[in-house]
């Protein structure tokens, strides 16, 4: 208790937490040096391990390792307070990609409609989560495929220490570990269903590069070779659209549906098990619902504005270093790209606080990024080449290093989600894949494309 009190009395500004930022830098470099590793279980099924997973796990391990004294409650709290700010450059990268893909959408109506299949996870997985005893965690777990952009949405809406955030992070972690294997299996089995390979290729684009690659491998192996180019094209564009526009589907459609369905179903089929964590056991639950959690970036002041600038510079530098190790891209161009994304993020968090209708920074950064990157807008020719130098996974790797450190304090509650979380994760992936494939099949038939 005294340790927490001492931590709370420390008034060091977040960018001056050199120990935390240096540790994150080391974790990111280690993770990127290990690189992506693929473990083949069979010729068509493999486990793909990526640097972003290593960074998060290493951050968690540093907190949980008892002999280690330099990452403790204070550092975990600081990391937690930085997550909302650091997720905005990540969403800026997605927004720029959205603007660049504007022309492609006019040539891909089927793939665009197929994105509605991502809502299937709600109807497949939410009842299962409730039957297994999850409470509001189930909203974070089942409102999306629970990849990087969805984590940002849930954290922004509900708060870092909310049950919804624990839910989305649980499915993210489990999905990262078993998702590639599971989607490889269901893709292989789905070829026996009356679904065209093109529909299955579109369904593989769930917004995760590793899952997309894992799903396509068995499909390319099973289908005739003359279909390979089309399968890759459909899959790649679908994955791009899921990554770029999935956040808007989640914000405006999926989350409202999940909330309403939860309120209806929970009294009927909800149960209490060892996985049930009542909302009042979460610290500062009500404050998180109203965006009062983050004491570092909550109100505008000259001091806080300067803190944001320095923190975003630190974040940009960490990402650029990781990006250089991972891809070998120009350090200078990548850093400029990160500065552009950080500038969008900076403007967005300011607009969130001065706009009269409390419009989220997620919405602001999406609007700004898309408009500036549209091919017909003059700014695109200056912005896009630099932003393209920054690999999305490099941003996510740094972000998840902070996430790993921040969730250490709540590890006991994460453990309560256990094997039940793995079951929900499988239904989340299954619901998204099957519904997307079914909608794609109908659209392809309707347009006489097959």
């Amino acid at each position: 208790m005294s340790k927490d009190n001492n931590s709370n009395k420390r008034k060091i500004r977040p960018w001056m937490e050199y120990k935390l930022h240096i540790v994150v830098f080391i974790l990111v470099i280690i993770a990127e040096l290990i690189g992506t590793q693929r473990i083949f279980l069979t010729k068509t099924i493999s486990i793909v391990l990526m640097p972003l997973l290593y960074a998060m796990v290493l951050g968690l391990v540093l907190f949980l390792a008892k002999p280690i004294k330099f990452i403790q409650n204070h550092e975990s709290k600081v990391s937690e307070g930085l997550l909302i700010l650091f997720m905005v450059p990540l969403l800026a990268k997605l927004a720029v990609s959205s603007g660049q893909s504007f022309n492609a959408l006019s040539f891909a109506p089927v793939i665009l409609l197929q994105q509605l299949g991502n809502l299937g996870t709600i109807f497949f997985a939410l009842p299962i989560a409730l039957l297994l005893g999850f409470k509001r965690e189930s909203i974070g777990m089942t409102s999306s495929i629970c990849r990087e952009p969805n984590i940002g949405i849930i954290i922004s809406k509900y708060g870092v220490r909310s049950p919804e955030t624990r839910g989305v992070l649980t499915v993210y972690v489990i999905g990262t570990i078993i998702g590639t294997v599971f989607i490889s299996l269901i893709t292989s089995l789905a070829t026996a269903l009356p679904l065209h390979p093109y529909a299955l290729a579109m369904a593989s684009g769930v917004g995760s590069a590793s899952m997309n690659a894992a799903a396509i491998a068995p499909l390319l192996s099973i289908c005739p070779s003359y279909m390979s180019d089309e399968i890759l094209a459909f899959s790649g564009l679908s994955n791009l659209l899921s990554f770029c526009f999935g956040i808007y589907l989640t914000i405006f459609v999926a989350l409202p549906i999940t909330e309403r369905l939860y309120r209806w179903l929970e009294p009927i089929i909800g149960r209490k098990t060892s996985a049930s964590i009542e909302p009042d056991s979460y610290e500062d639950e009500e404050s998180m619902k109203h965006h009062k959690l983050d004491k570092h970036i909550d109100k505008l002041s000259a001091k806080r504005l300067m803190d944001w600038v320095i923190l975003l510079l630190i974040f940009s530098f960490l990402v650029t270093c990781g990006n250089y190790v991972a891809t070998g891209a120009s350090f200078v161009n990548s850093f400029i790209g990160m500065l552009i994304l950080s500038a969008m993020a900076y403007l967005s968090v300011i607009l969130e606080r001065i706009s009269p209708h409390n419009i989220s920074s997620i919405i602001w950064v999406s609007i700004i990024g898309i408009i500036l990157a549209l091919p017909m807008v003059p700014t695109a020719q200056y912005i896009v080449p630099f932003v393209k130098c920054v690999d999305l996974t490099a941003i996510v790797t740094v972000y998840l290093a902070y996430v790993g450190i921040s969730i250490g304090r709540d590890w006991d509650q994460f453990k309560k989600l256990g094997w039940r979380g793995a079951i929900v994760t499988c239904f989340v992936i299954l619901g998204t894949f099957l519904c997307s494939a079914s909608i794609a099949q109908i659209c392809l038939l309707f347009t006489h494309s097959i």
Side-chain angles (χ1 to χ4, degrees):
M1 186 70 180
S2 61
K3 189 179 291 186
D4 284 341
N5 288 338
N6 291 336
S7 175
N8 290 332
K9 291 178 182 178
R10 294 171 66 178
K11 300 297 183 182
I12 298 176
R13 294 164 74 175
W15 60 268
M16 297 178 69
E17 297 288 347
Y18 306 120
K19 183 168 57 177
L20 170 64
H21 302 307
I22 290 172
V23 166
V24 170
F25 172 78
I26 294 171
L27 294 182
V28 169
I29 297 302
I30 292 173
E32 296 292 7
L33 286 174
I34 297 173
T36 301
Q37 302 295 323
R38 174 167 292 183
I39 303 171
F40 284 91
L41 303 179
T42 70
K43 288 184 178 180
T44 58
I45 300 174
S46 63
I47 301 174
V48 179
L49 303 177
M50 301 184 71
L52 51 91
L53 175 61
Y54 314 145
M56 185 170 68
V57 171
L58 288 172
L60 175 60
V61 168
L62 278 183
F63 180 89
L64 296 178
K66 300 300 181 185
I68 295 176
K69 303 297 183 184
F70 51 84
I71 293 295
Q72 297 184 331
N73 278 351
H74 176 73
E75 288 71 28
S76 181
K77 288 180 180 179
V78 174
S79 293
E80 182 180 290
L82 298 177
L83 294 183
I84 295 177
L85 177 64
F86 286 168
M87 77 174 177
V88 189
L90 166 62
L91 299 177
K93 168 70 174 177
L94 295 173
V96 171
S97 298
S98 299
Q100 276 297 286
S101 65
F102 180 82
N103 288 340
L105 294 181
S106 62
F107 300 102
V110 174
I111 298 178
L112 189 59
L113 286 173
Q114 171 265 333
Q115 297 298 310
L116 295 174
N118 292 326
L119 300 176
T121 183
I122 303 169
F123 304 101
F124 265 68
L126 182 59
I128 300 299
L130 292 174
L131 288 170
L132 289 173
F134 292 108
K135 298 303 180 183
R136 289 195 64 85
E137 294 86 1
S138 62
I139 294 174
M141 297 172 102
T142 65
S143 57
S144 67
I145 196 68
C146 297
R147 303 326 293 163
E148 293 82 4
N150 310 116
I151 294 175
I153 293 168
I154 297 297
I155 288 176
S156 177
K157 181 174 176 62
Y158 297 102
V160 179
R161 292 175 62 79
S162 65
E164 293 85 356
T165 294
R166 276 190 186 81
V168 73
L169 284 173
T170 297
V171 174
Y172 177 83
V173 173
I174 297 174
T176 301
I177 296 170
I178 69 171
T180 52
V181 177
F182 185 70
I183 202 168
S184 292
L185 288 171
I186 62 176
T187 304
S188 300
L189 295 173
T191 57
L193 299 175
L195 295 170
H196 197 276
Y198 296 165
L200 296 177
M202 294 179 196
S204 72
V206 295
S208 165
S210 58
M211 287 190 191
N212 182 221
I216 283 298
L219 199 57
L220 292 172
S221 176
I222 294 170
C223 296
S225 58
Y226 68 84
M227 290 185 173
S228 297
D229 290 342
E230 287 79 5
I231 287 174
L232 289 170
F234 282 132
S235 172
L237 184 55
S238 177
N239 198 57
L240 174 64
L241 296 182
S242 292
F243 236 138
C244 296
F245 296 101
I247 59 174
Y248 314 119
L249 187 67
T250 300
I251 294 170
F252 297 113
V253 182
L255 269 176
I257 290 176
T258 309
E259 286 273 11
R260 180 163 297 186
L261 197 60
Y262 174 84
R263 289 195 296 268
W264 177 53
L265 288 178
E266 201 280 330
I268 301 173
I269 63 174
R271 297 172 59 240
K272 283 193 175 183
T273 68
S274 60
S276 302
I277 305 175
E278 296 301 330
D280 58 8
S281 68
Y282 290 93
E283 183 181 336
D284 298 330
E285 177 70 14
E286 288 304 313
S287 65
M288 286 184 290
K289 299 284 182 163
H290 298 94
H291 297 272
K292 300 301 180 186
L293 173 74
D294 190 349
K295 298 176 183 177
H296 295 304
I297 63 169
D298 187 46
K299 296 179 181 179
L300 284 180
S301 68
K303 179 180 177 181
R304 189 149 289 119
L305 288 170
M306 182 56 65
D307 283 349
W308 293 349
V309 170
I310 300 174
L311 285 168
L312 288 170
L313 283 172
I314 292 172
F315 186 72
S316 297
F317 176 76
L318 295 176
V319 171
T320 304
C321 291
N323 187 69
Y324 178 77
V325 173
T327 67
S330 166
F331 190 93
V332 173
N333 290 344
S334 300
F335 189 60
I336 293 172
M338 276 306 302
L339 291 180
I340 292 171
L341 296 177
S342 294
M344 294 180 190
Y346 185 71
L347 178 59
S348 298
V349 294
I350 293 175
L351 288 173
E352 178 181 6
R353 286 154 180 80
I354 65 175
S355 60
H357 302 293
N358 294 318
I359 300 173
S360 169
S361 57
I362 290 178
I363 305 299
W364 282 117
V365 80
S366 299
I367 294 172
I368 294 169
I370 288 174
I371 292 176
L372 294 181
L374 287 171
M376 68 285 297
V377 177
T379 52
Q381 61 180 315
Y382 302 104
I383 289 174
V384 173
F386 291 110
V387 172
K388 278 187 174 181
C389 293
V390 184
D391 188 67
L392 180 65
T393 58
I395 305 177
V396 177
T397 299
V398 176
Y399 182 77
L400 289 183
Y402 284 100
V403 169
I405 294 171
S406 72
I407 65 177
R409 291 187 301 137
D410 304 315
W411 185 244
D412 288 339
Q413 288 185 327
F414 271 105
K415 289 193 295 186
K416 293 180 181 179
L417 306 181
W419 58 267
R420 293 177 176 86
I423 293 176
V424 174
T425 300
C426 289
F427 274 93
V428 165
I429 297 171
L430 184 64
T432 298
F433 184 85
L434 290 182
C435 288
S436 296
S438 299
I439 292 176
Q441 179 77 10
I442 293 170
C443 291
L444 287 169
L445 289 171
F446 183 77
T447 57
H448 304 290
S449 299
I450 56 175

